[in-house]
Amino acid sequence: MSNTQNKSNLNGDVHIHKNTDSNSIDKKEDDRPEFETNLANTLLHNFGEKIKIDFIKKNRIKVNVQKENIVEIAKFISLNMKFDHAEAVTGIDYPEQNEIEVVYHLGSYEDNLSNQILALSTSAIREDDPTPGSDRTKLPSLRNVFYSVEFHERECFEMLGVYFENHPDNRRLLLPEDWADIPPLRKDFKIKGR
Amino acid sequence: MSELPPGIKLEKEDDKIMTLNVGPQHPGSGHMRIIVKIDGDYIVSCDPDPGYVHRGEEKMAEYRNYITNIPHLERPVIHDSCNILYPYCLGVEEILGLEVPERAKYIRVIASELNRCVYTLYWLAIYGIFLGHSTMFMWPTGDRELLIDLLEKLSGARVTHAYFIPGGVRNDMPANFEDVCIRQINYFEKRIKQYDSIFYSNPILKSRTIKTGVLAQQDAISLGATGSVLRASGVDFDVRKKEPYDVYDNLDFQSNTLKSGDSYARSKIPWLDMLESCRIIRNALEKIPKSGSVRVKLKPNPKAGNVETYKRVESGRGSLGMYIISNGKPEPYRVKISVGSFRNLICLPYLLKGEKLGNMPAVYWSLNYWPVEADR
Amino acid sequence: MSIIAPRFRLGYFIKSLLDNVFWIIILLTLIGIPAIQVVLFFIDLPVIEGELLTPFLALTWLADPSRTLPIIKALMQTDFFKIAVFPGFGFAALLAAGTIFIERKLLAKLQLRVGPFYCGKLEGILQLMGDGLKLISKEIIIPAKADKPIFWAAPLLFVGAAAAFISLIPVSPGWVIADLDVGLLAFFAIIGFFPIITVLASWSANSKFPFIGGIRALHQMVSFEIPLILSLLGIVILTGTLNLSEIVESQSNFPWIIFMPIGAIVFFIAMLAELERIPFDLPEAESEIVAGWLTEFSGMMYGLVQLGSYLKLYAFAAIFVVLFLGGWNGPMIMPQFPQEIITEGIELGPISVTIPGLPLFTPEMINGTFWFTIKTIGVIFFILIPRGVFPRIRIDLLLHIGWYKLIGLAFVNIFISLSLLYSGVLGPGGMM
């Protein structure tokens, strides 16, 4: 962190990436970008079997972990790899696989990492008849690791019914207090007329 | 009383502490409720309660195909509609494998910078009126018309442009746009420089905002603040610089950073950004290819494979990301909009604790917060 | 499709009008005229030109303008006229209405707008009347848990206190409602009422935002009353009187602002705070506490508070003029009336009646009123200007200004006046 403090000032040196083809996709396995591969290898080296690399693209890495290990891995990412904040926490409902995937998009304000996004994904068991908070759809909260996920996790709780254990403030955020339907971002919640 | 559901808490409160419901029908809250507990004139705790204008944009996006998603995805922040469509278009281009023509990239940059100024002026107007400065409400709202006229020339609509589409922009610039744009931008720059004398140099404004709601650099990072809030705290992070999209790496500009991290710095960064935007627009108008197509031909109902993408741009309120997951159908499987307003909201309870009630508008609106965008 | 009056016929309409006229005539003759006669029986009628003004005489004189004139002159000397029309409520309300209109237009020009524009063809001059009509026609909503008698009384008390203020102001020589020997003390007494009324209004509303606003108003008014009073002591020391008319007369050569600029500045700032004008409009800070202590007022109750606050604005500006800017004193620009107008009268009207003694006011009075009005408008202008330039200040900064800076400056002002007095430059032993 102190590193950032020194480097970021008004006239701080800004390195510009001369990559105009940032939109193109790296399809082949062998032209995977080097820097991102190194980052992923750091994770693989430390945790081995516990994590599964989904993809490595330019500036983007996605790793998949079990929910039992996520706090430990998040702590490692936060402390050793200097990813210091969460940009988004996305819940995705997969009724066929009977699971709800939660993706943490972690970013960093370090100079060399600031173009990287590390997507840390895990999944919770999905219940067909949800009662948010008291069913098995539970995940450990990352709020003690990344302070910035507090509101994101609250939103994920109300929108998909994923209860985050050890979250200090698991209340509704966006939905009205008297919302009595199932969590609206689940796939079995249908919009009228569609 | 039976057991309470996990979302609800009961607490015994001291009689001294008064709970104020600031909003949503309150002139100082925007479309949001802030539950403020005050002890005398000091704020004991603050609990932002967004969601008054939640429209379920993410849910709606799952029911429409990639093209028909455009007009409604810009709704969360209609003053900055180009910037909120930008990451969506970048993402869809990635998953569909589209190559954007060079001229369209420059037009996008011009439009999004104009739009950033339009948004910032609107926000500045509200910031002014919430500090009781009625002239600062009227001047930016008036000057905003200049840029809205430009955008109307460009896209045909005053606010909800729906101008960006995957693979370019909807239509080319009109014939005399460059001259008009340069002229208006020159006047506009002269005009916003006057804000310094009436607003930013105002002694009462300084006494109210300097050293008010200070967000230290360390806290700004760990709270995950973004945009002007982050840069006012001394962290130099601008997506346009750090992860340049389209042609931002060819353009000559700098990202503005201040160190104090107080309300004053947070309100000044967007103003500095507007001056920088003028520079970018001039620069882009010099470098733009004089002719060429502005869009690629799209299939009527394009489908993508099983891919996902996370794209982010720098909007008026900070980094704005879109996470698009495709499962091979014409509609996206999931669209997540990660907006700067929502990410900066977490700073509010942190900053307001222990402040005076009179500082609430100064701190709250300096977060560059747009309730409608945070609710989506 | 909606039809307002499906069975409308002109005959019915005319019949209803005639019905109304019929009943009005019946009721007037049976009740109205006896009532007037009963009232006239008890009223002391004035003696004009040696004749007692009986109703009969008054009615006959109405036909002859030259004989009506003494009645008007006698009426103008009554207290009722002074209170209701000229130096009192009517004049003040007119100036207050002008103030509101000028404020809106001035602020609009400052902010690149047009302001009121359509109502009344000429630059929206009737906008204020439209707003007033709207306020009157609005429903008055009282909060369910409010203390209703006090809540109802508060706007009336506010207007009443503001109107009491106006009675102290000498507009031109002799034209003052209450020419008290302790005029300045009465002024301090009246401004002491406003915080009480404000707190009563806010507390009786039984709502949170008015309560906070009322407490803020109390803090602000009480802490700014002290520099307000102290800043005027210098004038009392030098003139040796508390009578406002005498204070004006003492400034016939020079206004006190020349010797006491510090006092004038302190008074002006304290005045802004007392009036709750921007930058000191904390009690009504809409972005923090909705509308402060005015939150629960609706309809004409709000209108009355607004009227009261603009009357108060006029009164404070007038007091500033009286104390620091020399009141009605000014160069004589009004020419003397030709003698024959007063003695022989002027030809008037198509039938050409000669009316002697027509000028109702003396030239001195018109001149004094002119200068007083000009100066007051100037001061009001300076009160309005900060609204376009300044944001709102915070309560702790405000109290800091009041208690630390303004009181100190007010004492400096007192020392200046004392040194002027004891060095013999001014005051009872000096130039006066």
Side-chain angles (χ1 to χ4, degrees), chain B residues 18-20 26-28 38 41 129-135 138-139 191 202 204 207-208 356 358-359 361, chain C residues 110-113 208-209 211-212 216 278-279 286-288 290 387-397:
Chain B
M18 191 197 271
T19 308
L20 283 182
H26 182 289
I38 54 170
D41 207 30
I129 193 66
F130 281 171
L131 291 173
H133 199 307
S134 49
T135 304
M138 295 298 170
W139 280 17
R191 193 71 197 132
N202 197 315
I204 294 182
S207 70
R208 276 197 68 177
K356 297 177 191 73
N359 278 336
Chain C
L110 205 68
Q111 297 173 346
L112 313 175
R113 300 184 280 132
K208 284 171 184 170
F209 291 115
F211 176 69
I212 299 174
R216 282 187 178 189
I278 284 177
E286 82 277 352
S287 57
E288 298 151 32
V290 192
R387 193 171 159 193
V389 196
F390 286 124
R392 186 180 302 118
I393 204 167
R394 210 171 55 215
I395 187 88
D396 55 329
L397 298 171

Short mmCIF file of all heavy atoms in Angstrom, two decimals, chain B residues 18-20 26-28 38 41 129-135 138-139 191 202 204 207-208 356 358-359 361, chain C residues 110-113 208-209 211-212 216 278-279 286-288 290 387-397:
data_model
loop_
_atom_site.label_atom_id
_atom_site.label_comp_id
_atom_site.label_asym_id
_atom_site.label_seq_id
_atom_site.Cartn_x
_atom_site.Cartn_y
_atom_site.Cartn_z
N MET B 18 -31.95 11.18 17.88
CA MET B 18 -33.12 11.39 17.04
C MET B 18 -32.86 10.77 15.68
O MET B 18 -31.78 10.90 15.13
CB MET B 18 -33.35 12.90 16.90
CG MET B 18 -34.66 13.27 16.27
SD MET B 18 -34.61 14.96 15.70
CE MET B 18 -35.14 15.81 17.13
N THR B 19 -33.85 10.05 15.18
CA THR B 19 -33.69 9.43 13.87
C THR B 19 -34.37 10.29 12.82
O THR B 19 -35.55 10.59 12.94
CB THR B 19 -34.32 8.03 13.86
OG1 THR B 19 -33.80 7.32 14.97
CG2 THR B 19 -33.96 7.30 12.60
N LEU B 20 -33.61 10.66 11.83
CA LEU B 20 -34.16 11.48 10.75
C LEU B 20 -34.23 10.64 9.49
O LEU B 20 -33.28 9.97 9.12
CB LEU B 20 -33.27 12.68 10.47
CG LEU B 20 -33.31 13.86 11.42
CD1 LEU B 20 -32.39 14.92 10.89
CD2 LEU B 20 -34.70 14.40 11.51
N HIS B 26 -37.34 14.26 -0.02
CA HIS B 26 -36.66 15.29 0.75
C HIS B 26 -35.85 16.09 -0.26
O HIS B 26 -35.21 15.50 -1.13
CB HIS B 26 -35.77 14.60 1.78
CG HIS B 26 -35.02 15.54 2.69
ND1 HIS B 26 -33.98 16.30 2.23
CD2 HIS B 26 -35.15 15.83 3.99
CE1 HIS B 26 -33.52 17.02 3.24
NE2 HIS B 26 -34.21 16.75 4.31
N PRO B 27 -35.85 17.41 -0.16
CA PRO B 27 -35.12 18.17 -1.18
C PRO B 27 -33.63 17.92 -1.19
O PRO B 27 -32.96 18.30 -2.14
CB PRO B 27 -35.45 19.62 -0.83
CG PRO B 27 -35.98 19.59 0.53
CD PRO B 27 -36.59 18.27 0.74
N GLY B 28 -33.09 17.28 -0.15
CA GLY B 28 -31.64 17.12 -0.12
C GLY B 28 -31.17 15.71 -0.27
O GLY B 28 -30.04 15.42 0.09
N ILE B 38 -29.07 11.39 14.80
CA ILE B 38 -28.28 12.53 15.24
C ILE B 38 -28.38 12.68 16.75
O ILE B 38 -29.41 12.40 17.36
CB ILE B 38 -28.70 13.84 14.54
CG1 ILE B 38 -30.19 14.08 14.70
CG2 ILE B 38 -28.33 13.81 13.10
CD1 ILE B 38 -30.60 15.44 14.25
N ASP B 41 -26.34 18.08 17.08
CA ASP B 41 -26.05 18.40 15.69
C ASP B 41 -25.09 17.40 15.07
O ASP B 41 -24.66 17.58 13.93
CB ASP B 41 -25.49 19.82 15.60
CG ASP B 41 -25.78 20.45 14.26
OD1 ASP B 41 -26.83 20.09 13.68
OD2 ASP B 41 -24.99 21.27 13.79
N ILE B 129 -26.66 23.76 -5.53
CA ILE B 129 -27.93 24.14 -4.87
C ILE B 129 -28.02 23.49 -3.51
O ILE B 129 -28.62 24.04 -2.60
CB ILE B 129 -29.14 23.79 -5.75
CG1 ILE B 129 -30.41 24.45 -5.24
CG2 ILE B 129 -29.40 22.31 -5.82
CD1 ILE B 129 -30.43 25.92 -5.31
N PHE B 130 -27.38 22.34 -3.31
CA PHE B 130 -27.46 21.73 -1.99
C PHE B 130 -26.57 22.44 -0.99
O PHE B 130 -26.77 22.30 0.21
CB PHE B 130 -27.12 20.25 -2.07
CG PHE B 130 -28.29 19.46 -2.58
CD1 PHE B 130 -28.18 18.14 -2.91
CD2 PHE B 130 -29.51 20.06 -2.72
CE1 PHE B 130 -29.26 17.45 -3.38
CE2 PHE B 130 -30.60 19.38 -3.19
CZ PHE B 130 -30.47 18.06 -3.52
N LEU B 131 -25.61 23.19 -1.47
CA LEU B 131 -24.87 24.02 -0.55
C LEU B 131 -25.51 25.40 -0.42
O LEU B 131 -24.96 26.28 0.21
CB LEU B 131 -23.42 24.17 -1.01
CG LEU B 131 -22.62 22.89 -0.90
CD1 LEU B 131 -21.27 23.07 -1.54
CD2 LEU B 131 -22.44 22.52 0.54
N GLY B 132 -26.65 25.58 -1.06
CA GLY B 132 -27.36 26.84 -0.95
C GLY B 132 -26.90 27.90 -1.94
O GLY B 132 -27.18 29.06 -1.78
N HIS B 133 -26.15 27.50 -2.97
CA HIS B 133 -25.61 28.45 -3.93
C HIS B 133 -26.47 28.39 -5.18
O HIS B 133 -26.25 27.58 -6.05
CB HIS B 133 -24.16 28.07 -4.24
CG HIS B 133 -23.37 29.18 -4.83
ND1 HIS B 133 -23.80 29.86 -5.92
CD2 HIS B 133 -22.20 29.74 -4.48
CE1 HIS B 133 -22.91 30.79 -6.22
NE2 HIS B 133 -21.94 30.74 -5.35
N SER B 134 -27.48 29.27 -5.25
CA SER B 134 -28.44 29.10 -6.34
C SER B 134 -27.86 29.47 -7.69
O SER B 134 -28.29 28.95 -8.71
CB SER B 134 -29.70 29.90 -6.05
OG SER B 134 -29.36 31.22 -5.70
N THR B 135 -26.89 30.38 -7.72
CA THR B 135 -26.29 30.72 -9.01
C THR B 135 -25.55 29.53 -9.59
O THR B 135 -25.56 29.29 -10.79
CB THR B 135 -25.33 31.90 -8.84
OG1 THR B 135 -26.06 32.96 -8.27
CG2 THR B 135 -24.78 32.34 -10.16
N MET B 138 -27.89 27.45 -11.52
CA MET B 138 -28.41 27.94 -12.79
C MET B 138 -27.34 27.98 -13.88
O MET B 138 -27.60 27.67 -15.02
CB MET B 138 -29.00 29.33 -12.61
CG MET B 138 -30.18 29.35 -11.72
SD MET B 138 -31.52 28.38 -12.39
CE MET B 138 -32.64 28.34 -11.02
N TRP B 139 -26.13 28.36 -13.51
CA TRP B 139 -25.10 28.50 -14.54
C TRP B 139 -24.80 27.17 -15.23
O TRP B 139 -24.85 27.09 -16.46
CB TRP B 139 -23.84 29.10 -13.94
CG TRP B 139 -23.91 30.58 -13.80
CD1 TRP B 139 -25.06 31.33 -13.83
CD2 TRP B 139 -22.83 31.49 -13.61
NE1 TRP B 139 -24.74 32.65 -13.66
CE2 TRP B 139 -23.39 32.78 -13.52
CE3 TRP B 139 -21.47 31.35 -13.51
CZ2 TRP B 139 -22.62 33.91 -13.35
CZ3 TRP B 139 -20.70 32.48 -13.33
CH2 TRP B 139 -21.26 33.74 -13.25
N ARG B 191 -16.25 29.50 -20.31
CA ARG B 191 -17.37 29.63 -19.39
C ARG B 191 -17.08 28.86 -18.08
O ARG B 191 -17.28 29.39 -16.99
CB ARG B 191 -18.57 29.06 -20.11
CG ARG B 191 -19.88 29.29 -19.57
CD ARG B 191 -20.39 30.66 -19.65
NE ARG B 191 -21.47 30.65 -18.69
CZ ARG B 191 -21.68 31.53 -17.77
NH1 ARG B 191 -20.96 32.59 -17.72
NH2 ARG B 191 -22.62 31.38 -16.90
N ASN B 202 -14.94 30.76 -3.57
CA ASN B 202 -15.84 31.40 -2.63
C ASN B 202 -15.41 31.09 -1.20
O ASN B 202 -15.28 29.93 -0.83
CB ASN B 202 -17.25 30.88 -2.88
CG ASN B 202 -18.30 31.75 -2.27
OD1 ASN B 202 -18.16 32.16 -1.12
ND2 ASN B 202 -19.33 32.03 -3.01
N ILE B 204 -16.95 31.20 1.66
CA ILE B 204 -17.89 30.43 2.48
C ILE B 204 -17.87 28.97 2.04
O ILE B 204 -17.88 28.05 2.85
CB ILE B 204 -19.30 31.03 2.39
CG1 ILE B 204 -19.29 32.41 3.02
CG2 ILE B 204 -20.29 30.15 3.09
CD1 ILE B 204 -20.62 33.07 3.04
N SER B 207 -14.84 27.41 3.46
CA SER B 207 -14.93 27.13 4.89
C SER B 207 -15.85 25.96 5.17
O SER B 207 -15.72 25.29 6.18
CB SER B 207 -15.42 28.37 5.63
OG SER B 207 -16.78 28.60 5.33
N ARG B 208 -16.80 25.72 4.29
CA ARG B 208 -17.70 24.59 4.52
C ARG B 208 -17.13 23.27 4.05
O ARG B 208 -17.45 22.23 4.61
CB ARG B 208 -19.02 24.81 3.78
CG ARG B 208 -19.97 25.65 4.52
CD ARG B 208 -21.34 25.49 3.97
NE ARG B 208 -21.87 24.17 4.23
CZ ARG B 208 -23.07 23.79 3.89
NH1 ARG B 208 -23.85 24.62 3.26
NH2 ARG B 208 -23.51 22.59 4.16
N LYS B 356 -21.14 16.92 11.38
CA LYS B 356 -22.31 17.70 11.75
C LYS B 356 -23.40 17.50 10.69
O LYS B 356 -23.10 17.20 9.54
CB LYS B 356 -21.95 19.17 11.84
CG LYS B 356 -20.95 19.43 12.91
CD LYS B 356 -20.56 20.89 12.92
CE LYS B 356 -19.37 21.10 13.79
NZ LYS B 356 -18.14 20.59 13.17
N GLY B 358 -25.14 19.68 9.33
CA GLY B 358 -25.00 20.68 8.28
C GLY B 358 -24.02 20.28 7.20
O GLY B 358 -24.04 20.81 6.10
N ASN B 359 -23.14 19.33 7.53
CA ASN B 359 -22.17 18.89 6.52
C ASN B 359 -22.72 17.79 5.65
O ASN B 359 -22.07 17.36 4.71
CB ASN B 359 -20.91 18.36 7.20
CG ASN B 359 -20.00 19.48 7.57
OD1 ASN B 359 -20.06 20.55 6.97
ND2 ASN B 359 -19.17 19.25 8.55
N PRO B 361 -25.16 17.51 3.27
CA PRO B 361 -25.20 17.71 1.82
C PRO B 361 -23.82 17.86 1.22
O PRO B 361 -23.56 17.34 0.13
CB PRO B 361 -26.02 18.98 1.66
CG PRO B 361 -26.47 19.40 2.96
CD PRO B 361 -25.88 18.55 4.00
N LEU C 110 -29.04 37.65 -12.76
CA LEU C 110 -27.72 37.22 -12.32
C LEU C 110 -27.43 35.80 -12.76
O LEU C 110 -26.29 35.42 -12.98
CB LEU C 110 -27.69 37.31 -10.79
CG LEU C 110 -26.37 37.48 -10.09
CD1 LEU C 110 -25.85 38.83 -10.42
CD2 LEU C 110 -26.57 37.36 -8.61
N GLN C 111 -28.49 35.00 -12.88
CA GLN C 111 -28.30 33.58 -13.13
C GLN C 111 -28.65 33.17 -14.55
O GLN C 111 -28.98 32.02 -14.80
CB GLN C 111 -29.17 32.78 -12.15
CG GLN C 111 -28.75 33.00 -10.72
CD GLN C 111 -29.71 32.35 -9.77
OE1 GLN C 111 -30.79 31.96 -10.15
NE2 GLN C 111 -29.29 32.21 -8.53
N LEU C 112 -28.63 34.13 -15.47
CA LEU C 112 -28.90 33.85 -16.88
C LEU C 112 -30.28 33.26 -17.09
O LEU C 112 -30.47 32.33 -17.86
CB LEU C 112 -27.85 32.89 -17.46
CG LEU C 112 -26.40 33.20 -17.16
CD1 LEU C 112 -25.52 32.11 -17.70
CD2 LEU C 112 -26.01 34.51 -17.77
N ARG C 113 -31.26 33.79 -16.37
CA ARG C 113 -32.64 33.35 -16.58
C ARG C 113 -33.47 34.58 -16.91
O ARG C 113 -32.94 35.69 -16.98
CB ARG C 113 -33.23 32.71 -15.32
CG ARG C 113 -32.52 31.51 -14.82
CD ARG C 113 -33.28 30.95 -13.63
NE ARG C 113 -33.01 31.65 -12.40
CZ ARG C 113 -33.94 32.07 -11.56
NH1 ARG C 113 -35.20 31.89 -11.83
NH2 ARG C 113 -33.61 32.67 -10.44
N LYS C 208 -40.00 16.61 13.28
CA LYS C 208 -38.56 16.67 13.56
C LYS C 208 -37.86 17.81 12.84
O LYS C 208 -37.07 18.54 13.43
CB LYS C 208 -37.91 15.35 13.14
CG LYS C 208 -38.19 14.26 14.13
CD LYS C 208 -37.73 12.94 13.57
CE LYS C 208 -38.09 11.81 14.50
NZ LYS C 208 -37.87 10.52 13.88
N PHE C 209 -38.11 17.94 11.56
CA PHE C 209 -37.38 18.95 10.80
C PHE C 209 -37.69 20.37 11.28
O PHE C 209 -36.77 21.17 11.45
CB PHE C 209 -37.64 18.78 9.31
CG PHE C 209 -37.02 17.54 8.75
CD1 PHE C 209 -37.79 16.53 8.24
CD2 PHE C 209 -35.64 17.38 8.74
CE1 PHE C 209 -37.21 15.38 7.74
CE2 PHE C 209 -35.06 16.24 8.24
CZ PHE C 209 -35.84 15.24 7.74
N PHE C 211 -38.48 21.16 14.20
CA PHE C 211 -37.85 21.29 15.51
C PHE C 211 -36.38 21.68 15.37
O PHE C 211 -35.91 22.64 16.00
CB PHE C 211 -38.00 19.96 16.25
CG PHE C 211 -37.31 19.95 17.58
CD1 PHE C 211 -37.78 20.73 18.61
CD2 PHE C 211 -36.18 19.19 17.79
CE1 PHE C 211 -37.16 20.73 19.84
CE2 PHE C 211 -35.55 19.18 18.99
CZ PHE C 211 -36.03 19.96 20.02
N ILE C 212 -35.66 20.95 14.49
CA ILE C 212 -34.25 21.29 14.30
C ILE C 212 -34.11 22.71 13.76
O ILE C 212 -33.27 23.50 14.20
CB ILE C 212 -33.58 20.27 13.35
CG1 ILE C 212 -33.66 18.88 13.95
CG2 ILE C 212 -32.13 20.63 13.11
CD1 ILE C 212 -33.16 17.82 13.02
N ARG C 216 -32.23 25.85 15.48
CA ARG C 216 -31.20 26.62 14.76
C ARG C 216 -31.54 28.09 14.73
O ARG C 216 -30.68 28.95 14.95
CB ARG C 216 -31.09 26.11 13.33
CG ARG C 216 -30.33 24.83 13.20
CD ARG C 216 -30.15 24.54 11.75
NE ARG C 216 -29.38 23.34 11.54
CZ ARG C 216 -28.93 22.95 10.37
NH1 ARG C 216 -29.19 23.69 9.32
NH2 ARG C 216 -28.23 21.87 10.24
N ILE C 278 -29.83 34.28 2.86
CA ILE C 278 -28.57 33.67 2.46
C ILE C 278 -27.47 34.69 2.63
O ILE C 278 -27.68 35.85 2.30
CB ILE C 278 -28.67 33.19 0.99
CG1 ILE C 278 -29.51 31.92 0.95
CG2 ILE C 278 -27.32 32.97 0.34
CD1 ILE C 278 -29.75 31.38 -0.42
N PRO C 279 -26.30 34.42 3.16
CA PRO C 279 -25.78 33.09 3.51
C PRO C 279 -26.16 32.59 4.89
O PRO C 279 -25.60 31.61 5.33
CB PRO C 279 -24.28 33.32 3.44
CG PRO C 279 -24.09 34.73 3.82
CD PRO C 279 -25.28 35.46 3.31
N GLU C 286 -32.82 24.00 2.93
CA GLU C 286 -33.70 22.96 2.41
C GLU C 286 -32.97 21.66 2.13
O GLU C 286 -33.58 20.61 2.14
CB GLU C 286 -34.42 23.45 1.15
CG GLU C 286 -33.66 23.35 -0.15
CD GLU C 286 -32.73 24.53 -0.35
OE1 GLU C 286 -32.82 25.47 0.46
OE2 GLU C 286 -31.94 24.50 -1.29
N SER C 287 -31.67 21.70 1.92
CA SER C 287 -31.01 20.44 1.61
C SER C 287 -30.70 19.63 2.86
O SER C 287 -30.40 18.46 2.76
CB SER C 287 -29.73 20.69 0.83
OG SER C 287 -28.89 21.54 1.55
N GLU C 288 -30.79 20.25 4.03
CA GLU C 288 -30.55 19.49 5.25
C GLU C 288 -31.85 19.19 5.98
O GLU C 288 -32.10 18.05 6.36
CB GLU C 288 -29.63 20.30 6.18
CG GLU C 288 -28.27 20.59 5.58
CD GLU C 288 -27.69 21.87 6.13
OE1 GLU C 288 -27.97 22.20 7.28
OE2 GLU C 288 -26.98 22.56 5.37
N VAL C 290 -35.28 20.06 5.08
CA VAL C 290 -36.45 20.34 4.24
C VAL C 290 -36.73 21.83 4.14
O VAL C 290 -36.16 22.48 3.28
CB VAL C 290 -37.68 19.58 4.74
CG1 VAL C 290 -38.78 19.65 3.70
CG2 VAL C 290 -37.35 18.12 4.97
N ARG C 387 -27.61 36.59 -2.05
CA ARG C 387 -28.29 35.36 -2.41
C ARG C 387 -27.77 34.79 -3.73
O ARG C 387 -27.81 33.59 -3.95
CB ARG C 387 -29.79 35.64 -2.53
CG ARG C 387 -30.55 34.38 -2.59
CD ARG C 387 -32.02 34.56 -2.48
NE ARG C 387 -32.64 33.37 -3.04
CZ ARG C 387 -33.91 33.27 -3.33
NH1 ARG C 387 -34.69 34.26 -3.11
NH2 ARG C 387 -34.39 32.18 -3.83
N GLY C 388 -27.30 35.65 -4.61
CA GLY C 388 -26.79 35.14 -5.87
C GLY C 388 -25.35 34.73 -5.81
O GLY C 388 -24.84 34.15 -6.76
N VAL C 389 -24.65 35.06 -4.74
CA VAL C 389 -23.21 34.89 -4.74
C VAL C 389 -22.73 33.85 -3.73
O VAL C 389 -21.74 33.18 -3.97
CB VAL C 389 -22.51 36.24 -4.45
CG1 VAL C 389 -21.06 36.16 -4.82
CG2 VAL C 389 -23.17 37.35 -5.21
N PHE C 390 -23.44 33.75 -2.61
CA PHE C 390 -22.89 32.94 -1.53
C PHE C 390 -23.64 31.63 -1.37
O PHE C 390 -24.86 31.59 -1.54
CB PHE C 390 -22.96 33.69 -0.20
CG PHE C 390 -21.95 34.78 -0.09
CD1 PHE C 390 -22.34 36.07 0.17
CD2 PHE C 390 -20.61 34.51 -0.25
CE1 PHE C 390 -21.42 37.08 0.25
CE2 PHE C 390 -19.68 35.52 -0.16
CZ PHE C 390 -20.08 36.80 0.09
N PRO C 391 -22.94 30.58 -0.98
CA PRO C 391 -23.64 29.40 -0.49
C PRO C 391 -24.02 29.59 0.96
O PRO C 391 -23.75 30.62 1.57
CB PRO C 391 -22.61 28.28 -0.65
CG PRO C 391 -21.31 28.94 -0.59
CD PRO C 391 -21.50 30.33 -1.10
N ARG C 392 -24.64 28.57 1.53
CA ARG C 392 -25.10 28.64 2.91
C ARG C 392 -23.95 28.33 3.85
O ARG C 392 -23.09 27.52 3.57
CB ARG C 392 -26.22 27.63 3.09
CG ARG C 392 -26.90 27.67 4.38
CD ARG C 392 -27.97 26.60 4.39
NE ARG C 392 -28.91 26.79 3.30
CZ ARG C 392 -29.09 25.92 2.32
NH1 ARG C 392 -28.45 24.80 2.30
NH2 ARG C 392 -29.94 26.17 1.36
N ILE C 393 -23.96 29.02 4.98
CA ILE C 393 -22.88 28.80 5.93
C ILE C 393 -23.31 27.71 6.91
O ILE C 393 -24.47 27.31 6.94
CB ILE C 393 -22.56 30.14 6.65
CG1 ILE C 393 -21.14 30.14 7.17
CG2 ILE C 393 -23.55 30.40 7.73
CD1 ILE C 393 -20.69 31.50 7.58
N ARG C 394 -22.37 27.20 7.68
CA ARG C 394 -22.69 26.12 8.61
C ARG C 394 -22.92 26.69 9.99
O ARG C 394 -22.41 27.75 10.32
CB ARG C 394 -21.54 25.12 8.62
CG ARG C 394 -21.93 23.71 8.90
CD ARG C 394 -20.77 22.80 8.68
NE ARG C 394 -19.61 23.22 9.45
CZ ARG C 394 -18.36 23.10 9.04
NH1 ARG C 394 -18.11 22.59 7.87
NH2 ARG C 394 -17.37 23.48 9.80
N ILE C 395 -23.65 25.95 10.83
CA ILE C 395 -24.12 26.56 12.09
C ILE C 395 -22.95 26.92 13.00
O ILE C 395 -22.94 27.97 13.64
CB ILE C 395 -25.15 25.64 12.78
CG1 ILE C 395 -25.78 26.33 13.99
CG2 ILE C 395 -24.56 24.33 13.20
CD1 ILE C 395 -26.97 27.12 13.68
N ASP C 396 -21.91 26.06 13.06
CA ASP C 396 -20.83 26.37 13.99
C ASP C 396 -20.01 27.56 13.50
O ASP C 396 -19.60 28.40 14.30
CB ASP C 396 -19.94 25.14 14.21
CG ASP C 396 -19.41 24.60 12.91
OD1 ASP C 396 -20.12 24.74 11.90
OD2 ASP C 396 -18.30 24.05 12.88
N LEU C 397 -19.84 27.66 12.17
CA LEU C 397 -19.14 28.84 11.64
C LEU C 397 -19.94 30.10 11.90
O LEU C 397 -19.39 31.15 12.24
CB LEU C 397 -18.92 28.68 10.14
CG LEU C 397 -18.06 27.49 9.73
CD1 LEU C 397 -18.11 27.33 8.22
CD2 LEU C 397 -16.64 27.73 10.16
#
